[in-house]
């Protein structure tokens, strides 16, 4: 029995020993396997490194997120800024020099003379004066939401100054402040105006309650036509219901049936520079002993009346002198309208005038004794007014465009002449070509006179666009939109949308006052259906409410002189 128990104990000991040996072998096999795996991985790593060093373990380039600097500019989804010389065809035809075929829209008449005759019979009324500024501002904020795009500039020495100015302007807008610019080289004692080359630097003074900061920018080649419309609660620059001394009631929308005036709260902001804030006193000081003359059609008359309201702030000025007779502006017998107006501000001896010349060429009756006589329309002669009074003018602003249609020519009995005789040139018989020829001819003549008048600075204002939809003024055309910037708010093109104007001034001493594109996106600013005297169904989508878009034309003009 003892022997049997000893044998069992020996067997158990051998079995335990066997199990221990087997476990050790298994652990060793695992260790060997791990070492083998490590060696294989190391071999693969070394092989891959030799083939394509670090890029072997990086994802392909397409998997990386590429971050590039991008200029953030807000755009209106319904408008694309891809204007060319053929853009804004609704305004008027822009005829290329190579075109000899007359544009069909040249035969379409406008409503300006007919409406002026109707409205002049209507007395002023004080309707819609009960609207408070608080309600208007709330309406602006409700109708228009404007966010400021940020223009990034390379931080060079000059551009860093410009960037600083832009930041100040943006801060001023947010706080409902206005930005003022002091011109460094304006000397009221001088008889001549500073040229663009002389006006290379300007001081920008941002007025605050207790302090003011000044920044200097370079403004040598500013394209004022490129920019955007922004809301400014300090607008308008004058009251449309109070500027009765200078503003015709037919253009004062505050005296009409219109009830929304959000269009008055917009200000034009150029993209690459800061535009000088208009102040009447500063304008008069800059134009001391000088004369500003507007020569053109009824849109030129609107710009003239806008300027008079801007200078006076819409207030009555009994001290301003009527000097019309000095320029031949005399009311004809029978109470008709004179062919111009001229007013002088005695404190600075500054004269502002307007002369009616709808085609910007010389027109003379063929038979003075016959009231129904035809009139020679000399395409190659500037208006007689310019030939007679150019020596008395320091700043000249010319325009034409909307009277170049068959309705006007036939109604006024105008017959085109060239070289003193009726026109026989078939190409010039097309009104688009005749208009372009006249613009080039008059601009070239004015440019040729600049050396003889060193104090003269001349501008040609581009075309003011029309916004008739669904017809013309007498065929049911309308412009019912009253929401600002609904068709766009900024202009990014470099060249003017008025092809004729842009090419007419090229290579001359006459500057282009380019207002076409910036006015095109302001279709809500027309008199539209709110005229107090228009016939039923007739809308004015040519002329502008004042205060309104023409004020911006004058602000740009003020910055350019």
């Amino acid at each position: 029995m003892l022997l049997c128990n000893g044998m069992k104990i020996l067997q158990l000991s051998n079995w335990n020993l066997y199990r221990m040996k087997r476990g050790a072998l298994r652990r060793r096999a695992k260790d060997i396997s791990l070492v083998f795996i490590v060696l294989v991985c190391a071999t693969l790593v070394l092989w891959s490194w030799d083939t394509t060093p670090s890029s072997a373990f990086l994802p392909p380039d397409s998997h990386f997120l590429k971050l590039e600097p991008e200029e953030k500019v807000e755009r209106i989804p319904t408008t694309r800024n891809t204007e060319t010389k053929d853009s804004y065809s609704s305004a008027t035809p822009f005829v290329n020099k190579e075109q000899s075929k007359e544009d069909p829209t040249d035969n379409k008449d406008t409503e300006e003379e007919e409406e002026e005759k109707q409205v002049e019979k209507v007395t002023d009324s004080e309707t819609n004066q009960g609207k408070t500024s608080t309600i208007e501002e709330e309406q602006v904020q409700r109708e228009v939401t404007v966010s400021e795009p940020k223009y990034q500039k390379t931080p060079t020495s000059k551009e860093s100054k410009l960037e600083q100015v832009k930041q100040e302007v943006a801060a001023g807008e947010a706080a409902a402040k206005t930005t003022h610019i002091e011109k460094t080289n304006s000397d009221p004692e001088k008889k001549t105006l500073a040229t663009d080359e002389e006006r290379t630097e300007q001081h920008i003074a941002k007025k605050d309650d207790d302090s003011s900061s000044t920044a200097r920018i370079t403004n040598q080649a500013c394209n004022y036509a490129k920019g955007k419309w922004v809301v400014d609660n300090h607008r308008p620059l004058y009251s449309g219901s109070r500027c009765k001394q200078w503003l015709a009631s037919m253009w004062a929308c505050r005296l009409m049936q219109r009830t929304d005036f959000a269009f008055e709260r917009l200000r034009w902001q150029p993209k690459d520079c800061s535009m000088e804030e208009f102040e009447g006193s500063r304008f008069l000081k800059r134009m001391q002993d000088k004369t500003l003359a507007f020569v053109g059609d009824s849109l030129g008359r609107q710009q003239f009346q806008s300027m008079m309201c801007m200078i006076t702030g819409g207030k009555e000025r009994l001290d301003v002198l009527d000097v019309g007779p000095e320029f031949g502006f005399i009311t004809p017998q029978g109470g008709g309208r004179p062919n111009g107006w001229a007013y002088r501000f005695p404190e600075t001896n500054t004269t502002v005038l307007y002369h009616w010349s709808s085609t910007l060429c010389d027109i003379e009756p063929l038979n003075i004794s016959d009231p129904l006589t035809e009139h020679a329309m000399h395409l190659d002669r500037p208006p007689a007014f310019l030939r007679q009074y150019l020596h008395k003018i320091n700043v000249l602003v010319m325009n034409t465009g909307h009277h170049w249609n068959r309705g006007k020519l036939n109604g006024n009995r105008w017959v085109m002449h060239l070289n003193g005789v009726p026109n026989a040139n078939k190409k010039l018989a097309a009104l688009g070509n005749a208009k372009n020829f006249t613009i080039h001819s008059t601009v070239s003549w004015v440019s040729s006179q600049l050396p003889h008048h060193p104090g003269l600075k001349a501008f040609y204002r581009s075309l003011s666009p029309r916004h008739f939809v669904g017809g013309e003024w007498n065929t049911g055309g309308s412009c019912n939109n009253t929401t600002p910037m609904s068709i766009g708010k900024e202009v990014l093109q470099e060249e003017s949308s008025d092809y004729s104007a842009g090419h007419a001034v090229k290579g001359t001493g006459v500057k282009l006052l380019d207002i076409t594109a910036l006015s095109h996106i302001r279709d809500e600013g027309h008199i539209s259906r709110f005229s107090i005297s228009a016939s039923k169904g007739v809308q004015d989508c040519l002329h502008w409410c004042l205060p309104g878009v023409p004020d911006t034309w004058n602000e740009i003009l003020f910055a350019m002189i």
Side-chain angles (χ1 to χ4, degrees), residues 167-227:
Q167 292 174 358
E168 291 183 359
V169 172
E173 290 173 1
K177 300 292 183 182
T178 56
T179 303
H180 301 277
I181 302 179
E182 292 183 1
K183 204 167 144 236
T184 58
N185 62 345
S186 61
D187 187 354
E189 301 299 328
K190 294 183 179 179
K191 296 289 184 180
T192 60
L193 297 177
T195 63
D196 287 343
E197 290 75 19
E198 292 171 343
R199 187 173 52 85
T200 57
E201 291 186 343
Q202 296 179 335
H203 286 290
I204 295 188
K206 180 188 173 186
K207 293 187 177 180
D208 214 330
D209 292 337
D210 299 317
S211 61
S212 63
S213 59
T214 303
R216 189 182 298 272
I217 66 171
T218 299
N219 208 20
Q220 184 173 4
C222 178
N223 184 359
Y224 293 105
K226 186 168 70 171

Side-chain angles (χ1 to χ4, degrees), residues 14-75:
N14 291 336
W15 174 250
N16 291 333
L17 181 62
Y18 171 75
R19 289 180 62 185
M20 292 174 61
K21 289 182 178 181
R22 189 172 63 177
L25 290 174
R26 285 181 178 178
R27 287 192 296 272
R28 183 174 297 179
K30 288 182 180 179
D31 293 340
I32 294 174
S33 298
L34 291 173
V35 171
F36 178 75
I37 292 173
V38 170
L39 290 175
V40 171
C41 291
T43 302
L44 291 175
V45 169
L46 293 175
W47 178 79
S48 299
W49 184 269
D50 292 336
T51 304
T52 54
S54 60
S55 61
F57 303 98
L58 297 176
D61 292 339
S62 61
H63 291 182
F64 285 102
L65 178 62
K66 297 182 178 181
L67 300 177
E68 296 179 355
E70 182 175 335
E71 182 174 282
K72 183 179 179 182
V73 178
E74 180 184 356
R75 300 179 187 275

